[in-house]
Amino acid sequence: MAGHHAEQTPPLSPRPDYAQYSPESMTSSMEYDLHHAEDSLGDEGLALPRVTKQSKTARAGEIVPIEIVKIACIGAGHVGGPSCAVIAYHNPHLQVTVIDHDRARIDAWNSPALPIHEPGLDHLVQLCRDGIIGGQRDDGPPLRRRPNLAFSTDMETAVLEADLIFVSVNTPLKATGIGQGVASDLGSLEAATRTIAHVARQNKIVVEKSTVPCRTAEVMSSILEANAQPGVRFDVLSNPEFLAEGTAVTDLSHPDRVLIGSLPTTNGFRAAAALASVYGAWVPADRIITMNLWSSELSKLAANALLAQRISSINALSALCEATGADVDEVAYACGLDSRIGSRMLKAGPGFGGSCFTKDVLSLVYLAESRHLPEVAAYWKSVVTINEYQKSRFAKRIVECLFNTVRSKTIAILGFAYKKDTGDTRESAAIGLVLALAAEGAQIRVYDPVVQEAQIWQALWEPDQSDRSQNLYKLVTVSRTPYEACHDADAVVVMTEWDEFSNKIRQAQSSPALAGTTHDMDPDRVALAQMTTSASTVSIKSLSGKLEKVLSNGSDGRATPTVAASMRALSSSTMMMSPSSASALTSTPHNNSSAMARMNQLTLTPMSMSTASPAGKPSVAATSASRKATAYLSVDGDGDGPARLDWERVAAHLKKPKWVFDGRNILDAEKLEKLGLRVERIGKPRPATTKP
C-alpha cells in the first residue's frame, strides 16, 4: 500500500484494462495464503484510514478499528453486486453476502448469466462465489480459494451475522406527491434501515452506499435508534460509490478516491477505520479520505452534478457549432488542452442518460429549493433543461432531414443502452427518440448487442399512457442483428457508442489486445500483442525476453499484493496465454516498477491445470464460452471483441437517399459518404449536399 504524502498527492496512474479479471489471470493470482496482504496492514492487523484533521488520533494509535469478519449488502443492483464482488476478491478472509428480496435477481447472480452486464464482472463473481478447488502448478502448491461471496434472499440471517452492512438500494425520484419528479424516494432505504434495527442483536456498522440527499444519514440514525434492541449500538457511515457503468470493475479496483463520512466521535472514527481497513486491502491509503457525514453525502451529488454540467455545456456548444459551421470535436479538443479544464466528459451526444445524472442534479435542485436558494436551484435545473433540449433537438433534426415527415418510413435504431459496455437503459436518450418517432408514425427497428427485448419493451412502456404504449407494438420491432434492423430502412440512427458500430480505426485499436488504449505504442508492445492474439498457445520461454522488457516498463504501480510468481519457473513452462492477457500487458503505460509485481497480474494458466468447480456449478471457462456463444457477431480472427459492422453491406440495402444519423460521433463520415450515404452528426458542419 502506498504511504500517505502530506505535502503532495502523487499523480493518478492510468488504470489498467479490465482484462486482468479474466478467469486465467485471477486463478493465477489467487494462490492465496489468507493473510496475503500482511505487508499492507497496520499495527492492529488492519489498515488505518488516511489521517485527516478529524482523525488525527488514529495516527497516535488511540482509535482501534472495529474488527470486521462478515459483511452484508442490502441491494443486489448495479452498485451492490459489483462493489461486493471486488471487496470479496481483495479480502478473501472476509465473508460477503449480498441480499435482495427479488428472488429472480438473486437466482441470476447465482447463475452464469448475471443480471447486469459489466466487462469482467462475470469472471470476478464466479471466482469469489464458487472458489477454486483442485488444480496443480508444476512449480508450486495447489491452486485453491474458498468461496467468500454469496447471494441470498435470507435478509434476516445475513443482517444478524454481519458486522458491517452496506445499504445499496434504489432511490429513484418520487413519482407522485410532494417533490414529485425532483425529490428522492427513500422508501426502500427506510425499509432496509428498519429491517436492520429489528433484526440486529449486536452492534453494527451501517454504511449508506446509495446516492441520497444530504443529511439522510441523520434520518437513518434516528430510525435505528428508535427501533434498536436494548444495548445495540449502530454507527452510520457514508460511503458513496463513484463507479461508472461499463467500467465498474476497473473503477472499483482502481478508484480515484474512496470517501468515508462519519460522525466526529470515537465510535464514528472507529467505524470509519474499520471500513477503511476493508478498502485498504487494495486501495492506497492516500486515496481513502475520511470526512464528516454531510460532506460525504453532498460530495456524491456534487460530483455527478458537475459531470452532468460538463456534458450539457458541450451539448449546448454543439448546437452553436451546427449553426456556425464549427466542429464540436475540435472545439472540445482545444478547450480540453487547457489544464484547468481537461478533456474528460467533453463529448457531445444526444443527451446524458443512466440512473444517476438526472436524478442527482434534480435532487440538488430540490435541496436548494427546500433551503430557500431559488437562484442555486435554477442554475442546476438548467443542466437538465439543456439535456432535454438536446434530446428533442436531435429528434427534430432527423424528421427535418427526412423531408419533415417520417410517417410509414422505417428507421433503424442502433443501440438502446444509455452508453456502451452496459445493459442499463434507464434514462437512455434512445427511449425518448423512439417515442418521439413513433408519435410521428414511423416504423422503428431497434437493435442492441446487450439489451434484451423484454428490457427494451419495459423501458418504452408508459403505464400512465396505456393506449399509446399499446400502439408501440404496431410501430416498434426489436431486431436480432443490425443488418436485420437496417434492411430496407429509410435511415439509420446510432444511439449507443458500441465499438462494433464504429468504422473509425485508430492505431491503438488495430489489434483486439490494444483496444481501449490511447497512448502511443512501441513496436515491442505491438508485436507482443499481435503474437498473443494470433495464437491460442505460446511458449513463455520463447517470449521471456519480450516479457521481461514489457514487465519492467509497464505497471500501474498499484498492484494488489499477491504471492510472487517465479519468472524462471514460468520461462521453463509452456502456458496458455489468452488474448486478454496481451491486453493486460500492452494496455499499461510505461512506468519504472517491479516486473515481478506485474507478473502477478498476467493471464497465465498452466496447460495441465484444471479448475474444477463445485458440483452443479459451471467452470469459469465454461461460463466465458457460454457468454461469448450468445453474441450474434463472430469474432475477427482470434480476438476478444465483436466484429465491426459492415457499413458497405448496410449501405447496399438502405433506401435512397440513405440517411445515417450519428448521435455519438463515432463514425468516419467521409468513408460513409464514399459508400453513397448521407451522414448527419451532432455538432458537425453539414455536408453541402445536405444543407437546406
Side-chain angles (χ1 to χ4, degrees):
M1 180 186 300
H4 170 58
H5 301 281
E7 297 181 359
Q8 180 179 357
T9 301
L12 302 184
S13 301
R15 297 175 297 184
D17 191 81
Y18 67 83
Q20 67 173 298
Y21 292 101
S22 64
E24 296 89 354
S25 66
M26 289 189 292
T27 54
S28 176
S29 66
M30 295 312 298
E31 300 170 26
Y32 274 124
D33 175 351
L34 293 185
H35 302 290
H36 71 289
E38 287 180 356
D39 58 336
S40 66
L41 302 181
D43 294 336
E44 300 294 332
L46 293 167
L48 297 179
R50 174 184 176 179
V51 177
T52 61
K53 290 182 179 179
Q54 77 168 37
S55 60
K56 287 181 178 178
T57 51
R59 182 171 54 186
E62 298 177 15
I63 299 298
V64 180
I66 300 169
E67 183 179 6
I68 303 298
V69 177
K70 293 186 177 182
I71 293 175
C73 177
I74 301 177
H78 286 80
V79 175
S83 296
C84 287
V86 173
I87 287 173
Y89 172 71
H90 290 287
N91 291 274
H93 58 289
L94 298 181
Q95 178 61 42
V96 182
T97 303
V98 182
I99 42 182
D100 200 295
H101 285 308
D102 189 336
R103 165 60 69 179
R105 178 173 287 268
I106 291 299
D107 287 345
W109 278 110
N110 284 316
S111 74
L114 303 186
I116 64 175
H117 174 81
E118 280 291 339
L121 181 61
D122 49 356
H123 302 313
L124 190 66
V125 166
Q126 187 163 8
L127 177 68
C128 300
R129 183 192 64 198
D130 302 342
I132 301 174
I133 55 175
Q136 179 74 41
R137 276 194 183 279
D138 294 335
D139 59 341
L143 294 173
R144 63 183 182 277
R145 176 188 169 113
R146 68 176 179 84
N148 70 320
L149 176 64
F151 298 91
S152 173
T153 57
D154 188 355
M155 189 168 298
E156 290 195 3
T157 299
V159 169
L160 185 65
E161 296 179 351
D163 305 298
L164 184 149
I165 304 166
F166 288 109
V167 179
S168 183
V169 296
N170 194 21
T171 54
L173 296 177
K174 293 181 67 175
T176 59
I178 299 173
Q180 175 184 356
V182 288
S184 296
D185 184 347
L186 301 180
S188 297
L189 185 84
E190 180 178 344
T193 304
R194 290 185 181 277
T195 297
I196 294 170
H198 289 307
V199 172
R201 294 295 183 271
Q202 60 186 19
N203 298 344
K204 307 284 184 184
I205 299 174
V206 181
V207 183
E208 175 190 79
K209 196 72 174 171
S210 303
T211 302
V212 294
C214 191
R215 300 197 78 89
T216 298
E218 190 173 43
V219 176
M220 294 178 67
S221 295
S222 298
I223 295 173
L224 291 168
E225 291 173 5
N227 296 277
Q229 301 296 325
V232 176
R233 187 189 75 251
F234 296 98
D235 297 305
V236 179
L237 302 176
S238 169
N239 176 221
E241 51 81 18
F242 293 99
L243 61 87
E245 292 186 41
T247 57
V249 174
T250 300
D251 294 339
L252 290 163
S253 299
H254 303 277
D256 294 332
R257 78 285 201 198
V258 172
L259 299 189
I260 301 176
S262 70
L263 290 174
T265 64
T266 299
N267 287 331
F269 294 154
R270 292 189 68 214
L275 181 56
S277 73
V278 173
Y279 287 111
W282 79 96
V283 180
D286 58 350
R287 298 195 187 194
I288 302 176
I289 314 299
T290 59
M291 56 181 60
N292 76 52
L293 272 170
W294 327 128
S295 296
S296 178
E297 289 178 333
L298 188 56
S299 292
K300 170 60 177 179
L301 294 178
N304 277 349
L306 289 169
L307 292 174
Q309 177 197 53
R310 285 176 69 92
I311 297 174
S312 283
S313 294
I314 198 64
N315 281 341
L317 288 170
S318 73
L320 282 174
C321 288
E322 292 169 20
T324 61
D327 186 318
V328 71
D329 284 343
E330 293 178 350
V331 172
Y333 175 74
C335 294
L337 291 176
D338 190 322
S339 59
R340 298 167 300 174
I341 298 174
S343 61
R344 300 291 298 275
M345 306 296 283
L346 288 180
K347 185 69 175 176
F352 56 73
S355 64
C356 295
F357 282 177
T358 299
K359 176 177 74 72
D360 292 353
V361 172
L362 291 177
S363 181
L364 206 58
V365 170
Y366 186 70
L367 179 64
E369 290 176 341
S370 65
R371 296 300 190 274
H372 309 293
L373 300 170
E375 293 83 4
V376 176
Y379 174 78
W380 289 112
K381 182 65 180 294
S382 68
V383 172
V384 177
T385 300
I386 287 292
N387 193 57
E388 295 306 311
Y389 165 71
Q390 185 78 345
K391 293 178 181 179
S392 63
R393 190 173 73 86
F394 188 54
K396 290 178 182 178
R397 186 174 178 182
I398 293 172
V399 175
E400 288 174 0
C401 287
L402 293 175
F403 311 109
N404 290 305
T405 180
V406 293
R407 183 169 299 279
S408 300
K409 292 179 180 178
T410 301
I411 300 177
I413 307 293
L414 299 185
F416 199 80
Y418 85 92
K419 61 182 288 190
K420 72 173 185 177
D421 290 334
T422 181
D424 196 349
T425 61
R426 289 175 290 181
E427 299 291 331
S428 172
I431 298 173
L433 179 65
V434 169
L435 295 177
L437 295 176
E440 295 285 334
Q443 294 288 328
I444 303 160
R445 299 181 192 144
V446 179
Y447 168 76
D448 191 282
V450 169
V451 182
Q452 300 298 311
E453 181 174 359
Q455 187 178 350
I456 291 175
W457 285 115
Q458 183 180 18
L460 293 173
W461 187 263
E462 298 177 285
D464 57 334
Q465 299 184 34
S466 57
D467 291 340
R468 179 179 174 182
S469 296
Q470 288 290 348
N471 192 46
L472 285 175
Y473 286 110
K474 302 175 183 178
L475 299 174
V476 179
T477 302
V478 179
S479 301
R480 294 173 297 175
T481 74
Y483 303 109
E484 180 182 292
C486 297
H487 186 78
D488 266 351
D490 293 273
V492 176
V493 185
V494 177
M495 289 300 291
T496 308
E497 68 278 22
W498 289 105
D499 292 338
E500 64 199 65
F501 298 154
S502 177
N503 68 334
K504 293 182 179 179
I505 298 179
R506 295 182 298 172
Q507 178 186 4
Q509 291 185 334
S510 59
S511 166
L514 307 181
T517 62
T518 57
H519 56 276
D520 293 332
M521 312 297 272
D522 67 62
D524 286 320
R525 293 161 72 83
V526 173
L528 178 59
Q530 293 171 342
M531 291 176 69
T532 54
T533 54
S534 63
S536 59
T537 304
V538 296
S539 168
I540 295 299
K541 185 174 182 179
S542 67
L543 292 177
S544 59
K546 288 187 180 292
L547 279 171
E548 290 183 19
K549 181 174 181 179
V550 172
L551 292 177
S552 62
N553 289 329
S555 173
D556 59 14
R558 295 184 281 120
T560 302
T562 55
V563 179
S566 168
M567 176 72 80
R568 286 177 297 182
L570 289 171
S571 298
S572 62
S573 304
T574 299
M575 316 283 281
M576 291 185 65
M577 179 176 282
S578 73
S580 56
S581 310
S583 179
L585 281 171
T586 59
S587 65
T588 309
H590 292 287
N591 263 319
N592 291 324
S593 54
S594 168
M596 194 66 73
R598 185 60 183 155
M599 177 58 79
N600 291 328
Q601 298 184 3
L602 288 179
T603 311
L604 303 175
T605 305
M607 295 180 65
S608 59
M609 188 189 78
S610 64
T611 53
S613 296
K617 301 235 178 143
S619 68
V620 174
T623 300
S624 177
S626 66
R627 300 273 299 196
K628 288 185 178 180
T630 62
Y632 89 94
L633 285 173
S634 62
V635 173
D636 280 333
D638 294 314
D640 281 339
R644 293 296 183 93
L645 185 64
D646 185 348
W647 280 99
E648 185 174 358
R649 177 179 171 185
V650 171
H653 296 283
L654 283 180
K655 292 180 181 178
K656 293 182 178 180
K658 302 185 178 183
W659 285 101
V660 174
F661 298 90
D662 182 6
R664 296 291 183 171
N665 290 345
I666 62 172
L667 300 177
D668 186 328
E670 185 176 346
K671 289 182 179 179
L672 295 185
E673 287 163 0
K674 290 179 180 178
L675 298 176
L677 300 173
R678 292 190 177 186
V679 184
E680 287 281 305
R681 297 172 292 168
I682 288 179
K684 301 282 187 173
R686 288 186 171 186
T689 55
T690 64
K691 289 182 179 179

